[in-house]
Amino acid sequence: MAGASRSGSLLVLVAAILWGTTGTAATFAPHAGPLAIGAAAMGLGGLLQALIAGPQLRRDRVLLRGHPVLIGVGALAVAVYPLAFYAGMHLAGVAVGTVVALASGPIFAAILERAIDRTPLDARWFAGAGLGIAGTVLLAFGGHGGAGGSSMLGVALALLAGLAYAVYTWAARRLMAAGCGSRSAMGAVFGIGGILLLPVLAATGGPFLQDPRDLAVGAYMAIVPMFLGYLAFGAGLRTVPARTATVLTLAEPAVAAVLAWAVVGERLGGLGWAGIALIALSLVVFSLPRARS
């Protein structure tokens, strides 16, 4: 069990590193807007998830039919996540948008588990949440991703993305706990979420057909971070709790911030760096082992 948990944690970490490249990759598609990029990445990636999970979906179809609300809620969160995430990065900047979205994930995940699964919140959670909220406020005022109003809207959209991420992670985990395989759980949630994103892609995806570079970026986003990344994430989630998985994704904002600095040329002021430091500290607090009675 310990070995399985370590392997699961490694798979989640690999997924987080792949996801950390998406914000910088999106900047290389100058003609595609954030909604088009999000719809292509998660929409096509979600359909690929469902396609490869075909045998497992057929095997677990009876179990899946018994949880239509859970699948529907998870799929809706999958559809909301990329639209809010990439729009938030577009307005607030790659580093700020990614850090806020991923840092808010553990907070929302814990609140969700407390409200639905009755998982108690301890002093460690309140300390981590307080640090994360303080860091987000500093980032909102210290980020240089956009002018004041647009940057604040970007932070708000990043928070919405963090909530959506926590919801579909929780939903997939609940399906696995009910007996579904990791591929069938992820395939059902992401496949339906991908279908929900197809109208958005049809309405906004014209630039992908007009510029080979935009098309290459869209293909990379759908295949590497969204398809392969979520395959690794789903396999890891089989043995890693949702709350732990959201903490392991600390690698994503770290990779995103480094790439935004080294490749995109983004810079943060003193308040922005202080906010990132507080958010990193909050995630460290979340990752500390629980006291055992």
Side-chain angles (χ1 to χ4, degrees), residues 9 20 32 50 57-58 60 79 96 104 125 145-147 174 177 180 187 202 222 225 240 260 279:
S9 297
L57 287 170
R58 288 191 292 272
D60 293 339
V96 173
S104 62
W125 182 89
R174 284 292 294 266
C180 296
V240 176
I279 288 171

Side-chain angles (χ1 to χ4, degrees), residues 50 69 90 94 107 113-114 117 120 127 138 140 142 155 181 190 251 292:
V69 175
H90 178 73
V94 173
I107 297 175
E113 290 179 357
R114 176 69 183 96
D117 299 333
L138 290 180
V155 170
F190 278 76
R292 303 182 67 174

Side-chain angles (χ1 to χ4, degrees), residues 8-25:
S9 297
L10 180 60
L11 287 169
V12 173
L13 185 61
V14 168
I17 292 172
L18 292 178
W19 296 338
T21 67
T22 59
T24 296

